[in-house]
Amino acid sequence: MHHSRAAAARALALAALCVPLLAQDAAQPDAQASPASAVQPVSSAPHAELLTRAKALGAGATWIPYGRSRQGRELFALRIAGAAGKADELPAILVVANVDGTQPWTSALALQHAEQLVARAAEPTVSALLDTTCIYVVPCANPDAHERRFAAVQHEREATGTGVDNDRDGRSGEDPASDVNGDGRITQLRVRDPRGEWIADPLDERALVKADKTKGERGVWRVWTEGRDLDRDERVAEDEPLDACVNRNFPAEWKELAPESGAFPTDEPETLALCEFVLQRPQIALVVTYGAFDNLVDKPKSVAADALQKRVPQAGVVEADAVLLAEYGKRYAELTGVKHKGRGGDAGSWQTWAYAHRGLWSLAINPWDIPLDTPEKAAEAKTEPKTETKSEEGAAAPAKPEKDKKDKREPSEDVKRLRWIDANSEETWRFVPWSAFEHPELGPCEIGGFAPFARNEPPAARSAELAAAQFEFLLTLGADLPRVRIEEFTAKPLGGDLHELRARVVNPSRLPLQNASALRTEAVRPARLDLELGAGASLVAGERLHLIRALDGSGGRFEARWLVRAASLAELRLKLSTQHAGSDARVAELAR
Amino acid sequence: MNTLLLSLALLSAQAAPATPAPDKSFSGLAAGAAPRVEIAWNRLYDYDEIHAHLDRLVARYPQFLSMQVIGHSVENREMRVYTLTNPATGAHDTKPAMWVDGNIHGNEVQGGEAVVYVAWYLLENYGSVPRVTELVDGATFYLCPMLNPDGRASWFRDAHNASSSRSGRQPFDDDGDGLYDEDGPDDLDGDGSITQMRKYTPGVGNLRLNPDDPRLMDPVPPNERGIRGDWTMLGSEGFDNDGDGRNNEDAVGGYDMNRAWPSGWQPEWIQGGAGPYPLYWPETRCVARFWIAHPNIAGVQSYHNAGGMILRGPGYEAFGEYPREDVAVYDELGRDGEAMLPYYRYMIIWKDLYSVFGGSVTYAYESLGVISFTNELWNTDQMFGDHAAQNSGRGANHKFDDRLLMGAGFTPWRKYNHPLYGEVEIGGFKKDVGRVPPSFLIEEMTHRNALFAIRHAETMPKVAIVSTVVSDLGGGLRAIDVEFRNERIIPTRTARAAQKGIGKPDLFTLEGAGVEVLAGGFRTDRFRPERLDFAEREPASLRSERGIPGRGEVRVRWIVRGRGEATVRWQGEKARTASAPVKLP
């Protein structure tokens, strides 16, 4: 598990290698950005482009279409396996990106992983992986939300499915978000309102923070997603036509009667298609999910295997699995240096379903977010340009921040993000300065805030290095997968035509045959150990068939013995077959 | 031209329901002297026959009954919904609808007959029984007789016992050995039944023959003299098809489609039979989609067998309890049902029966806000009625079979040479004994349970505007006070729907060309009209999550200016629109 510091050097070398491969997605200059949108580096790519690039991989990757999104976009996977061994019999890893739909960069990342595996299949580390493990890659699990990144109006929103009547006025979808000021982005809208709960953050007035009544703060702003109040109910953008989110529509921890959950689990076609993809490929043992959620940096909640409340299982990673997951977390930290926590809930999610319902190892990765560690001095002293409206007490900060008053206050995460943005001149697109606007229904207001996808798009200059580190981590995952084998199968003559047979099945791999979640859900079928007797043999003592459910990693073993009468046979065969840990067969010679 | 006139004449002749001559019918007799569509109600019908009966009803009563296919089963049988209403009084989806289904468990067949009976009874009595006429005019029935047509077909066709073929027919690896449906029970003696196997094991068994009836075996209690029984039960008829040391452990299918529904759904290890994800099987998903697409459904009944129960949720303890207003509705209907169905008990699923995660009627209530019951048809107490006390116990089944069925229900123990166990005896009750009534009691079971669903339908909400009062407030202002009443037990919106924002809120409107609505709201005080929950905006269109309570009213006051004709209206998902004119002089 522990890698030397050479790992860092290797990462850099890999990064250097990657640059030409990534040229097409990392080096698109700003000039190619669509004229209607604000300035953004585009390393993410539209779904159609992902499709074309995936299909162009040729014979090195098998193209697998597995469904259609609600709007009819193709859902596709790629299968990459080495020439040695049949792909269907190998244990498999599934890499899925962008189930949330708001992380298009992760789709480019996953596709690049596939391209790398194909292009470098002859290299020792890659061929070692591909010869023993089948890799499935689903670069874009949610194309409909993904495409919003490339629309004329940028909108970071996960929902793609069934809409509900959010404001309970008998109509659904009558008041969606919209680009009120025509700047090509859906940002935020703030209105001065005595009912408002927000104030400008004293440390950086661009950020908003909830007024703390216990400190005598009084709310100034009411904040909405940018939009109109078309239904004149004094709420803005409160009733979108689409509410269901693909990554909230999976059956595990599914939240009933919530707009984002959809009508019922697997009602959303993208969700159903991904479930069926996994169910039809029982060789998949481990999934890696790139998106908003992360379970490697932060230790997820762990529960006992039998933790039930009135027969309902408690959410969380089963304790024995949590220990191994933490080891993955350590390796991940060493290889990638990623320290930021993920975000978003886990309820109804793909990554939870894969683990809690299917018993698969489920690693969730959020590869990049705006750093929170930029020191204050690094940022240029930044004040808000004066707006048209008159400043009021507590709302606008003076030209220099009052250090003595504010030193004690811990900067909010938004303030920390703004510091990073200020310190990096290429990244100003990530925050849209508040500017006055005359709203058709609300009157004077201000529009601005963090830009869509601000937290989801790494800086272009860092793209290659981030991707290389994630790829490095992926390459390490195949070796741990359980691969059980018959370590010994021998026959000893006992006289006459009686033989004593002994067998030992071993799991030499790091991971157990079934993890704790698989053991309790029984979603993974046990390993079968079949003694083939045939016409000339009969069983005197022992079980013809053993079903082996639990087998520890790192040398877990199972032993069996038989007494067999075999008058005229020269040998007997023992077969081992598993769902996702390979298969084996051994022959024992029957000496006379 | 002549053919056209002839066809029209034929159509009109078909369309007019012929009423039986009153003096030939007996009062209380359901269908008068002779029904127009004859169906023998003392037997059970296979998949094709059930649909054939309903198709005959469609042919005889095309003005009231129509059919649509909503999906297909695993073995590609049609999932059909028959819609029953009088379209002349309103389209089916403008009326409160009662959904009735049966047979989600393949062996629980008699629900199919009960669903057909609902249609037959209403159609045959339309026009001659006023309450039937009113119900068919004022409500809709969606009837789906077989939620598990493949299971039903197998129960009739293949060798089974009373409990088998519960599942659908998609291959399922019950024992985790990587093989599918490889070891089910076997009809070793070829008698068309799966019965039991027992073996004479003198001195080392755990059972002994009942001294009064050698067909029965009694357990031998532990005793100090070390006396053991002479008989051993070996289980269901069959042998170890896959040689894994177990008998009959992986039959066809092996899942439970009444654990597939998306409310409180839990995976297999918590709830056996649930499948890999909710609504996994096509039979279940097409029905859920139909329910979601028909928000006018205000009542659901799903017939099962057996045990004599009228069941409501919650299905599992962790849910908590249903809101008390809805419990009151359930209690009233449930107690009614206990009277209509002797020997049936009104029960809460998790508390009085067992935990069920992902059941269909709990989904209908918890996710869709619909008052829903499951009846478990047939209770063995019905064999001897009031004499059940002295005729209970394990001998009761034999006594009933001997006295009232001439022993036809039991296959006598007969010797058989088993490949593994050697000489055994095979015998037992046949598949239509125990969970399905004997033929002479089928009609009563069917009628009582159908009428329970019809009763349920009669309690679906019905809204009337009982008064509109215009009063002068001076200065050109008038107040219009309207009382909207729901005369039925079921509210226009259940408390569950109100709490969870399910479906559309009720809508109360006032409109008139010359009328300006200045304010409006729900009155909270009968005697103090100024106490109004008045709306912030759109006063002419008031929305209510709570709707109109069962046997209750909602009073609305509008404050208006202007004169002329106006209309007040109530609209909701689960009752017909009610409207009334208001004149402002």
Side-chain angles (χ1 to χ4, degrees), chain A residues 191-224:
Chain A
V191 193
R192 288 182 193 280
D193 190 321
R195 291 170 291 184
E197 293 179 344
W198 300 85
I199 55 171
D201 193 315
L203 293 176
D204 186 331
E205 65 207 358
R206 292 170 294 175
L208 288 162
V209 74
K210 278 237 165 119
D212 187 349
K213 288 181 186 149
T214 64
K215 292 203 177 86
E217 293 171 353
R218 185 169 168 188
V220 168
W221 300 103
R222 215 165 170 204
V223 181
W224 306 99

mmCIF file of all heavy atoms in Angstrom, chain A residues 191-224:
data_model
loop_
_atom_site.group_PDB
_atom_site.id
_atom_site.type_symbol
_atom_site.label_atom_id
_atom_site.label_comp_id
_atom_site.label_asym_id
_atom_site.label_seq_id
_atom_site.Cartn_x
_atom_site.Cartn_y
_atom_site.Cartn_z
ATOM 1 N N VAL A 191 -32.330 40.561 -3.696
ATOM 2 C CA VAL A 191 -33.233 41.704 -3.598
ATOM 3 C C VAL A 191 -33.216 42.183 -2.161
ATOM 4 O O VAL A 191 -33.275 41.368 -1.238
ATOM 5 C CB VAL A 191 -34.687 41.299 -3.944
ATOM 6 C CG1 VAL A 191 -35.548 42.527 -4.148
ATOM 7 C CG2 VAL A 191 -34.725 40.400 -5.150
ATOM 8 N N ARG A 192 -33.164 43.473 -1.982
ATOM 9 C CA ARG A 192 -33.306 44.007 -0.619
ATOM 10 C C ARG A 192 -34.734 43.758 -0.162
ATOM 11 O O ARG A 192 -35.681 44.140 -0.848
ATOM 12 C CB ARG A 192 -33.009 45.504 -0.595
ATOM 13 C CG ARG A 192 -31.542 45.789 -0.774
ATOM 14 C CD ARG A 192 -31.249 47.286 -0.691
ATOM 15 N NE ARG A 192 -29.904 47.538 -1.167
ATOM 16 C CZ ARG A 192 -28.799 47.352 -0.430
ATOM 17 N NH1 ARG A 192 -28.896 46.933 0.811
ATOM 18 N NH2 ARG A 192 -27.605 47.591 -0.943
ATOM 19 N N ASP A 193 -34.859 43.134 0.976
ATOM 20 C CA ASP A 193 -36.197 42.733 1.429
ATOM 21 C C ASP A 193 -36.156 42.520 2.936
ATOM 22 O O ASP A 193 -35.273 41.841 3.439
ATOM 23 C CB ASP A 193 -36.578 41.414 0.705
ATOM 24 C CG ASP A 193 -38.028 41.027 0.900
ATOM 25 O OD1 ASP A 193 -38.580 41.197 2.019
ATOM 26 O OD2 ASP A 193 -38.629 40.526 -0.073
ATOM 27 N N PRO A 194 -37.062 43.151 3.656
ATOM 28 C CA PRO A 194 -37.067 42.959 5.118
ATOM 29 C C PRO A 194 -37.227 41.498 5.523
ATOM 30 O O PRO A 194 -36.850 41.104 6.608
ATOM 31 C CB PRO A 194 -38.269 43.784 5.600
ATOM 32 C CG PRO A 194 -38.777 44.519 4.436
ATOM 33 C CD PRO A 194 -38.098 44.060 3.194
ATOM 34 N N ARG A 195 -37.789 40.682 4.619
ATOM 35 C CA ARG A 195 -37.927 39.267 4.923
ATOM 36 C C ARG A 195 -36.643 38.508 4.612
ATOM 37 O O ARG A 195 -36.542 37.307 4.858
ATOM 38 C CB ARG A 195 -39.061 38.654 4.099
ATOM 39 C CG ARG A 195 -40.433 39.139 4.498
ATOM 40 C CD ARG A 195 -41.479 38.689 3.497
ATOM 41 N NE ARG A 195 -41.322 39.372 2.220
ATOM 42 C CZ ARG A 195 -42.141 39.226 1.191
ATOM 43 N NH1 ARG A 195 -43.172 38.416 1.280
ATOM 44 N NH2 ARG A 195 -41.935 39.874 0.053
ATOM 45 N N GLY A 196 -35.664 39.222 4.081
ATOM 46 C CA GLY A 196 -34.438 38.539 3.667
ATOM 47 C C GLY A 196 -33.672 37.982 4.849
ATOM 48 O O GLY A 196 -33.696 38.533 5.946
ATOM 49 N N GLU A 197 -32.974 36.884 4.612
ATOM 50 C CA GLU A 197 -32.225 36.231 5.687
ATOM 51 C C GLU A 197 -30.723 36.388 5.515
ATOM 52 O O GLU A 197 -29.962 35.934 6.354
ATOM 53 C CB GLU A 197 -32.558 34.735 5.702
ATOM 54 C CG GLU A 197 -33.999 34.477 6.099
ATOM 55 C CD GLU A 197 -34.333 32.992 6.101
ATOM 56 O OE1 GLU A 197 -33.574 32.197 5.510
ATOM 57 O OE2 GLU A 197 -35.364 32.641 6.702
ATOM 58 N N TRP A 198 -30.297 37.007 4.436
ATOM 59 C CA TRP A 198 -28.869 37.040 4.104
ATOM 60 C C TRP A 198 -28.298 38.430 4.269
ATOM 61 O O TRP A 198 -28.959 39.423 4.044
ATOM 62 C CB TRP A 198 -28.656 36.572 2.660
ATOM 63 C CG TRP A 198 -29.140 35.184 2.433
ATOM 64 C CD1 TRP A 198 -30.412 34.798 2.138
ATOM 65 C CD2 TRP A 198 -28.357 33.996 2.502
ATOM 66 N NE1 TRP A 198 -30.474 33.437 2.020
ATOM 67 C CE2 TRP A 198 -29.228 32.914 2.227
ATOM 68 C CE3 TRP A 198 -27.009 33.717 2.755
ATOM 69 C CZ2 TRP A 198 -28.789 31.594 2.217
ATOM 70 C CZ3 TRP A 198 -26.581 32.403 2.727
ATOM 71 C CH2 TRP A 198 -27.468 31.360 2.470
ATOM 72 N N ILE A 199 -27.020 38.434 4.636
ATOM 73 C CA ILE A 199 -26.254 39.692 4.628
ATOM 74 C C ILE A 199 -24.980 39.449 3.844
ATOM 75 O O ILE A 199 -24.562 38.300 3.662
ATOM 76 C CB ILE A 199 -25.907 40.168 6.057
ATOM 77 C CG1 ILE A 199 -25.170 39.055 6.830
ATOM 78 C CG2 ILE A 199 -27.145 40.618 6.804
ATOM 79 C CD1 ILE A 199 -24.610 39.507 8.156
ATOM 80 N N ALA A 200 -24.387 40.528 3.403
ATOM 81 C CA ALA A 200 -23.076 40.397 2.780
ATOM 82 C C ALA A 200 -22.089 39.963 3.847
ATOM 83 O O ALA A 200 -22.119 40.458 4.976
ATOM 84 C CB ALA A 200 -22.659 41.726 2.166
ATOM 85 N N ASP A 201 -21.208 39.043 3.492
ATOM 86 C CA ASP A 201 -20.215 38.561 4.447
ATOM 87 C C ASP A 201 -19.288 39.719 4.832
ATOM 88 O O ASP A 201 -18.708 40.355 3.946
ATOM 89 C CB ASP A 201 -19.420 37.415 3.813
ATOM 90 C CG ASP A 201 -18.588 36.653 4.823
ATOM 91 O OD1 ASP A 201 -17.929 37.298 5.666
ATOM 92 O OD2 ASP A 201 -18.600 35.422 4.771
ATOM 93 N N PRO A 202 -19.154 40.018 6.111
ATOM 94 C CA PRO A 202 -18.295 41.143 6.506
ATOM 95 C C PRO A 202 -16.845 40.996 6.027
ATOM 96 O O PRO A 202 -16.146 41.973 5.856
ATOM 97 C CB PRO A 202 -18.340 41.117 8.037
ATOM 98 C CG PRO A 202 -19.544 40.331 8.374
ATOM 99 C CD PRO A 202 -19.787 39.375 7.255
ATOM 100 N N LEU A 203 -16.403 39.762 5.809
ATOM 101 C CA LEU A 203 -15.022 39.563 5.372
ATOM 102 C C LEU A 203 -14.871 39.752 3.867
ATOM 103 O O LEU A 203 -13.784 40.014 3.379
ATOM 104 C CB LEU A 203 -14.557 38.154 5.753
ATOM 105 C CG LEU A 203 -14.427 37.908 7.255
ATOM 106 C CD1 LEU A 203 -14.065 36.463 7.530
ATOM 107 C CD2 LEU A 203 -13.393 38.835 7.855
ATOM 108 N N ASP A 204 -15.911 39.577 3.145
ATOM 109 C CA ASP A 204 -15.873 39.785 1.696
ATOM 110 C C ASP A 204 -17.303 39.963 1.232
ATOM 111 O O ASP A 204 -18.078 39.013 1.212
ATOM 112 C CB ASP A 204 -15.230 38.579 1.000
ATOM 113 C CG ASP A 204 -15.026 38.820 -0.502
ATOM 114 O OD1 ASP A 204 -15.814 39.588 -1.123
ATOM 115 O OD2 ASP A 204 -14.093 38.235 -1.045
ATOM 116 N N GLU A 205 -17.624 41.198 0.890
ATOM 117 C CA GLU A 205 -19.033 41.512 0.659
ATOM 118 C C GLU A 205 -19.599 40.836 -0.583
ATOM 119 O O GLU A 205 -20.799 40.900 -0.820
ATOM 120 C CB GLU A 205 -19.220 43.017 0.567
ATOM 121 C CG GLU A 205 -18.526 43.597 -0.632
ATOM 122 C CD GLU A 205 -18.127 45.043 -0.411
ATOM 123 O OE1 GLU A 205 -18.424 45.585 0.669
ATOM 124 O OE2 GLU A 205 -17.505 45.611 -1.306
ATOM 125 N N ARG A 206 -18.769 40.197 -1.382
ATOM 126 C CA ARG A 206 -19.309 39.468 -2.527
ATOM 127 C C ARG A 206 -20.010 38.202 -2.069
ATOM 128 O O ARG A 206 -20.926 37.713 -2.720
ATOM 129 C CB ARG A 206 -18.198 39.101 -3.507
ATOM 130 C CG ARG A 206 -17.580 40.295 -4.212
ATOM 131 C CD ARG A 206 -16.337 39.888 -4.980
ATOM 132 N NE ARG A 206 -15.283 39.454 -4.066
ATOM 133 C CZ ARG A 206 -14.125 38.944 -4.473
ATOM 134 N NH1 ARG A 206 -13.873 38.789 -5.755
ATOM 135 N NH2 ARG A 206 -13.214 38.569 -3.580
ATOM 136 N N ALA A 207 -19.529 37.683 -0.941
ATOM 137 C CA ALA A 207 -20.128 36.450 -0.445
ATOM 138 C C ALA A 207 -21.329 36.787 0.420
ATOM 139 O O ALA A 207 -21.418 37.869 0.995
ATOM 140 C CB ALA A 207 -19.100 35.656 0.361
ATOM 141 N N LEU A 208 -22.245 35.857 0.504
ATOM 142 C CA LEU A 208 -23.438 36.032 1.322
ATOM 143 C C LEU A 208 -23.395 35.064 2.482
ATOM 144 O O LEU A 208 -22.920 33.932 2.337
ATOM 145 C CB LEU A 208 -24.694 35.771 0.485
ATOM 146 C CG LEU A 208 -25.022 36.839 -0.549
ATOM 147 C CD1 LEU A 208 -25.984 36.285 -1.589
ATOM 148 C CD2 LEU A 208 -25.624 38.062 0.122
ATOM 149 N N VAL A 209 -23.880 35.526 3.590
ATOM 150 C CA VAL A 209 -23.913 34.657 4.752
ATOM 151 C C VAL A 209 -25.238 34.900 5.468
ATOM 152 O O VAL A 209 -25.818 35.987 5.382
ATOM 153 C CB VAL A 209 -22.677 34.946 5.646
ATOM 154 C CG1 VAL A 209 -22.839 36.255 6.380
ATOM 155 C CG2 VAL A 209 -22.406 33.820 6.597
ATOM 156 N N LYS A 210 -25.749 33.880 6.139
ATOM 157 C CA LYS A 210 -27.025 34.036 6.833
ATOM 158 C C LYS A 210 -26.851 34.953 8.028
ATOM 159 O O LYS A 210 -25.894 34.819 8.789
ATOM 160 C CB LYS A 210 -27.544 32.670 7.307
ATOM 161 C CG LYS A 210 -28.254 31.886 6.225
ATOM 162 C CD LYS A 210 -29.678 31.520 6.627
ATOM 163 C CE LYS A 210 -30.466 31.076 5.405
ATOM 164 N NZ LYS A 210 -30.943 29.708 5.503
ATOM 165 N N ALA A 211 -27.787 35.860 8.190
ATOM 166 C CA ALA A 211 -27.728 36.771 9.334
ATOM 167 C C ALA A 211 -27.874 35.961 10.614
ATOM 168 O O ALA A 211 -28.718 35.072 10.706
ATOM 169 C CB ALA A 211 -28.846 37.800 9.229
ATOM 170 N N ASP A 212 -27.014 36.281 11.583
ATOM 171 C CA ASP A 212 -27.058 35.571 12.854
ATOM 172 C C ASP A 212 -27.779 36.432 13.874
ATOM 173 O O ASP A 212 -27.227 37.401 14.401
ATOM 174 C CB ASP A 212 -25.610 35.281 13.305
ATOM 175 C CG ASP A 212 -25.573 34.404 14.535
ATOM 176 O OD1 ASP A 212 -26.642 34.188 15.157
ATOM 177 O OD2 ASP A 212 -24.488 33.911 14.877
ATOM 178 N N LYS A 213 -29.030 36.080 14.145
ATOM 179 C CA LYS A 213 -29.849 36.908 15.032
ATOM 180 C C LYS A 213 -29.255 36.983 16.435
ATOM 181 O O LYS A 213 -29.387 37.980 17.125
ATOM 182 C CB LYS A 213 -31.274 36.362 15.104
ATOM 183 C CG LYS A 213 -32.035 36.606 13.824
ATOM 184 C CD LYS A 213 -33.469 36.098 13.889
ATOM 185 C CE LYS A 213 -34.107 36.242 12.517
ATOM 186 N NZ LYS A 213 -35.095 35.225 12.245
ATOM 187 N N THR A 214 -28.592 35.906 16.852
ATOM 188 C CA THR A 214 -28.039 35.927 18.209
ATOM 189 C C THR A 214 -26.921 36.957 18.330
ATOM 190 O O THR A 214 -26.567 37.361 19.429
ATOM 191 C CB THR A 214 -27.484 34.546 18.602
ATOM 192 O OG1 THR A 214 -26.383 34.230 17.739
ATOM 193 C CG2 THR A 214 -28.540 33.469 18.457
ATOM 194 N N LYS A 215 -26.358 37.348 17.179
ATOM 195 C CA LYS A 215 -25.311 38.381 17.212
ATOM 196 C C LYS A 215 -25.881 39.752 16.860
ATOM 197 O O LYS A 215 -25.123 40.685 16.625
ATOM 198 C CB LYS A 215 -24.197 38.023 16.217
ATOM 199 C CG LYS A 215 -23.387 36.797 16.577
ATOM 200 C CD LYS A 215 -22.012 36.834 15.899
ATOM 201 C CE LYS A 215 -21.162 35.650 16.302
ATOM 202 N NZ LYS A 215 -21.420 34.451 15.457
ATOM 203 N N GLY A 216 -27.200 39.817 16.773
ATOM 204 C CA GLY A 216 -27.818 41.102 16.459
ATOM 205 C C GLY A 216 -27.771 41.454 14.988
ATOM 206 O O GLY A 216 -28.006 42.600 14.608
ATOM 207 N N GLU A 217 -27.476 40.490 14.143
ATOM 208 C CA GLU A 217 -27.452 40.773 12.705
ATOM 209 C C GLU A 217 -28.864 40.670 12.147
ATOM 210 O O GLU A 217 -29.625 39.780 12.513
ATOM 211 C CB GLU A 217 -26.530 39.777 11.989
ATOM 212 C CG GLU A 217 -25.067 39.956 12.360
ATOM 213 C CD GLU A 217 -24.184 38.837 11.832
ATOM 214 O OE1 GLU A 217 -24.744 37.853 11.287
ATOM 215 O OE2 GLU A 217 -22.968 38.942 11.946
ATOM 216 N N ARG A 218 -29.186 41.568 11.254
ATOM 217 C CA ARG A 218 -30.513 41.570 10.655
ATOM 218 C C ARG A 218 -30.382 41.328 9.158
ATOM 219 O O ARG A 218 -29.573 41.955 8.495
ATOM 220 C CB ARG A 218 -31.183 42.910 10.919
ATOM 221 C CG ARG A 218 -32.585 42.851 10.412
ATOM 222 C CD ARG A 218 -33.450 43.949 10.799
ATOM 223 N NE ARG A 218 -34.659 43.817 9.965
ATOM 224 C CZ ARG A 218 -35.600 44.716 9.917
ATOM 225 N NH1 ARG A 218 -35.469 45.805 10.633
ATOM 226 N NH2 ARG A 218 -36.638 44.534 9.156
ATOM 227 N N GLY A 219 -31.177 40.411 8.653
ATOM 228 C CA GLY A 219 -31.104 40.062 7.236
ATOM 229 C C GLY A 219 -31.415 41.254 6.335
ATOM 230 O O GLY A 219 -32.229 42.104 6.673
ATOM 231 N N VAL A 220 -30.744 41.297 5.218
ATOM 232 C CA VAL A 220 -30.908 42.407 4.275
ATOM 233 C C VAL A 220 -31.397 41.903 2.924
ATOM 234 O O VAL A 220 -32.258 42.493 2.301
ATOM 235 C CB VAL A 220 -29.556 43.137 4.082
ATOM 236 C CG1 VAL A 220 -29.617 44.092 2.891
ATOM 237 C CG2 VAL A 220 -29.174 43.860 5.354
ATOM 238 N N TRP A 221 -30.831 40.794 2.497
ATOM 239 C CA TRP A 221 -31.078 40.302 1.148
ATOM 240 C C TRP A 221 -31.967 39.081 1.155
ATOM 241 O O TRP A 221 -31.843 38.201 2.002
ATOM 242 C CB TRP A 221 -29.763 39.913 0.470
ATOM 243 C CG TRP A 221 -28.765 40.999 0.310
ATOM 244 C CD1 TRP A 221 -27.647 41.198 1.048
ATOM 245 C CD2 TRP A 221 -28.791 42.037 -0.676
ATOM 246 N NE1 TRP A 221 -26.955 42.292 0.599
ATOM 247 C CE2 TRP A 221 -27.634 42.823 -0.465
ATOM 248 C CE3 TRP A 221 -29.663 42.381 -1.713
ATOM 249 C CZ2 TRP A 221 -27.337 43.934 -1.251
ATOM 250 C CZ3 TRP A 221 -29.365 43.482 -2.491
ATOM 251 C CH2 TRP A 221 -28.212 44.254 -2.259
ATOM 252 N N ARG A 222 -32.840 39.031 0.154
ATOM 253 C CA ARG A 222 -33.518 37.777 -0.158
ATOM 254 C C ARG A 222 -32.842 37.238 -1.413
ATOM 255 O O ARG A 222 -32.612 38.004 -2.368
ATOM 256 C CB ARG A 222 -34.996 38.057 -0.438
ATOM 257 C CG ARG A 222 -35.879 36.956 0.048
ATOM 258 C CD ARG A 222 -37.317 37.376 0.114
ATOM 259 N NE ARG A 222 -38.110 36.185 0.359
ATOM 260 C CZ ARG A 222 -39.372 36.037 0.050
ATOM 261 N NH1 ARG A 222 -40.024 37.022 -0.527
ATOM 262 N NH2 ARG A 222 -40.015 34.917 0.315
ATOM 263 N N VAL A 223 -32.492 35.973 -1.409
ATOM 264 C CA VAL A 223 -31.643 35.438 -2.481
ATOM 265 C C VAL A 223 -32.394 34.352 -3.232
ATOM 266 O O VAL A 223 -33.016 33.485 -2.629
ATOM 267 C CB VAL A 223 -30.335 34.855 -1.894
ATOM 268 C CG1 VAL A 223 -29.451 34.330 -3.014
ATOM 269 C CG2 VAL A 223 -29.602 35.925 -1.091
ATOM 270 N N TRP A 224 -32.307 34.410 -4.524
ATOM 271 C CA TRP A 224 -32.971 33.416 -5.389
ATOM 272 C C TRP A 224 -32.009 32.942 -6.461
ATOM 273 O O TRP A 224 -31.048 33.623 -6.792
ATOM 274 C CB TRP A 224 -34.160 34.045 -6.114
ATOM 275 C CG TRP A 224 -35.174 34.736 -5.258
ATOM 276 C CD1 TRP A 224 -35.273 36.074 -5.033
ATOM 277 C CD2 TRP A 224 -36.244 34.132 -4.544
ATOM 278 N NE1 TRP A 224 -36.330 36.338 -4.216
ATOM 279 C CE2 TRP A 224 -36.947 35.174 -3.898
ATOM 280 C CE3 TRP A 224 -36.666 32.817 -4.384
ATOM 281 C CZ2 TRP A 224 -38.059 34.922 -3.104
ATOM 282 C CZ3 TRP A 224 -37.770 32.571 -3.594
ATOM 283 C CH2 TRP A 224 -38.451 33.632 -2.959
#
